[in-house]
Amino acid sequence: MSLREAKVADLTTLAGIDPEAALIAPPPPFRKAPERPVPGTLVEGELPEDTARFVLRLPESWNGGLVVAAAPGLLGERSLDLYWSDFCVARGFAFACTDKGARIGFVDGRFVLPSGEGCRIRRWYPRLKALAELASARCGRPEAVFAVGVSNGGYLARCAMERDPELFSGGVDVSGPLWRADEPTLLRELPLALAGPDASALDAEYRPIRALTLRALLDD
C-alpha cells in the first residue's frame, strides 16, 4: 500500500478543479463555490493489496463525521470533488473517495474499457468498504460514517447501507442502477426496450418492460 500524506492550506476546489470533477458537477444554478479555504490533511494512495486509488480529506476543524464515496462509472477518485467533497469538508466532515481500480483508456480518440478480474462489478463494493475502514482508522474513530454516490457510486452507497449497517450510519444514493448477477439489469433491459416494437430479439418476458420503459422515455 502506497500512501502520501500532507498538511495543505485548502482541501476544496478553490485550490484547483480536476477535469473529471467538472464532468460530474451539479448544474451551475445548484452548485455553490466554497466560501473560504478549508485547511487540513490530504491523504492519497492505493487501497491495501489493491490497485484502486483513493483520496481522503480531513479538515482541521473536523466535526467527527466521515463521508465515503466511490467514483461514478469508471472515473477517478477526484471526480466527486465538486459534487460532494466541497460540500462536506466546508461543513467539517472528512471526505474520502475511491475509483474502481480501473481507468478508461483512449485509443485513436475512442474510449477503451478496461477488462480483467479487478474490474468486475463484484470487486466494487469491497473497495468502498475497505476505504471506509481505512479512512475511519486514519480519522480516529468517527462518530458517524455515511456512504454517498452518483450512478454506479450510488449503487455502492445502497450496498453499504444494506450490507454493513453496523459500519455505515446512513447514506445517499443518487441515480444508482441495480446490478444483480442472476436477474435482469439495465444492460439487458434497456437495449431491448430501445430496439423498438418489432425487434425480433425482444423476448416475450420483456415486452411489458419494453412498453413501460418506452412510455417513460417518451411521455413528458
Side-chain angles (χ1 to χ4, degrees):
M1 180 174 62
S2 174
L3 295 180
R4 299 175 300 280
E5 181 172 326
K7 295 282 189 179
V8 296
D10 188 16
L11 296 170
T12 76
T13 54
L14 289 175
I17 299 176
D18 188 277
E20 289 191 347
L23 298 175
I24 308 299
F30 303 99
R31 185 170 76 232
K32 184 180 180 182
E35 295 181 355
R36 62 184 64 85
V38 178
T41 301
L42 176 68
V43 184
E44 301 174 276
E46 295 181 348
L47 293 176
E49 301 179 4
D50 203 338
T51 59
R53 301 181 305 202
F54 77 92
V55 59
L56 166 64
R57 300 180 176 97
L58 178 58
E60 283 185 0
S61 299
W62 183 42
N63 66 7
L66 169 64
V67 178
V68 298
L74 294 176
L75 295 177
E77 68 278 11
R78 293 179 177 275
S79 57
L80 294 176
D81 288 2
L82 289 166
Y83 203 109
W84 288 111
S85 184
D86 278 354
F87 179 89
C88 292
V89 300
R91 289 159 177 77
F93 289 90
F95 178 81
C97 184
T98 180
D99 67 4
K100 295 183 174 65
R103 266 72 71 180
I104 296 175
F106 294 90
V107 176
D108 297 329
R110 295 177 298 174
F111 286 114
V112 177
L113 295 178
S115 60
E117 176 63 28
C119 304
R120 297 186 184 279
I121 291 177
R122 64 171 174 264
R123 296 288 300 276
W124 292 357
Y125 176 67
R127 286 173 170 140
L128 180 65
K129 183 178 179 180
L131 174 67
E133 293 170 342
L134 184 152
S136 294
R138 174 58 188 83
C139 292
R141 297 185 178 275
E143 297 174 2
V145 180
F146 302 97
V148 301
V150 180
S151 188
N152 278 332
Y155 159 71
L156 296 178
R158 185 166 66 248
C159 287
M161 292 179 280
E162 293 174 348
R163 299 180 189 181
D164 289 291
E166 73 286 351
L167 175 60
F168 296 96
S169 307
V172 179
D173 166 9
V174 180
S175 305
L178 178 59
W179 298 110
R180 297 175 291 187
D182 302 320
E183 298 181 54
T185 68
L186 184 66
L187 292 180
R188 291 178 59 189
E189 297 170 2
L190 188 58
L192 291 170
L194 296 177
D198 299 321
S200 59
L202 198 59
D203 297 330
E205 63 179 302
Y206 289 113
R207 292 188 183 277
I209 296 175
R210 174 186 61 79
L212 289 172
T213 307
L214 286 177
R215 188 176 304 122
L217 289 171
L218 297 175
D219 288 351
D220 188 356

